[in-house]
Amino acid sequence: MLFDFELETPEQGLVDITKEVSAAVNESGVYEGICVVFCSHTTAAITITENADPDVKTDFLMGLENSFPGLKSYRHSGGNSDAHIKSAIVGPSETIIVTKGKPLLGKWQGIYFCEFDGSRRRRFCVKVMGE
């Protein structure tokens, strides 16, 4: 089953989409299988990281900014080459095991939509497969 979601994103930031993914898994009726969370944007990404301490999200973005700053020497005319690089490094998708009808996540894990070039109206999809 394929589920589509839309969200408004901040200028840069991580948006917790764990509830949406869990709802899709629940609605699918899949008890054992996998789900894939995917975004089809070239300046956004999907990741799994800690969901307990909000400083983790801040540090995540700061680490990427320190590693891949917006440089005037980039040649891309869109002026957002750093966002493209961050998106490519983090990646457009995550695959999550589904067991007992729920996404298998650790106690401190959450699923996040990563915005590197917002604010924008974005989409992501969840594909749930199994039995």
Side-chain angles (χ1 to χ4, degrees), residues 17-91:
I17 59 171
T18 308
K19 287 181 184 176
E20 291 86 344
V21 173
S22 295
V25 170
N26 184 55
E27 187 178 331
S28 76
V30 170
Y31 192 72
E32 296 291 332
I34 60 169
C35 74
V36 177
V37 183
F38 174 78
C39 81
S40 58
H41 303 287
T42 61
T43 57
I46 303 292
T47 197
I48 296 174
T49 193
E50 181 180 321
N51 65 359
D53 181 352
D55 287 338
V56 170
K57 296 188 296 186
T58 302
D59 293 347
F60 180 92
L61 290 170
M62 184 173 46
L64 286 172
E65 183 60 31
N66 289 339
S67 298
F68 309 103
L71 301 174
K72 292 184 181 200
S73 58
Y74 287 136
R75 297 178 64 180
H76 175 49
S77 63
N80 59 355
S81 287
D82 61 315
H84 288 289
I85 295 167
K86 293 168 190 170
S87 174
I89 294 296
V90 176

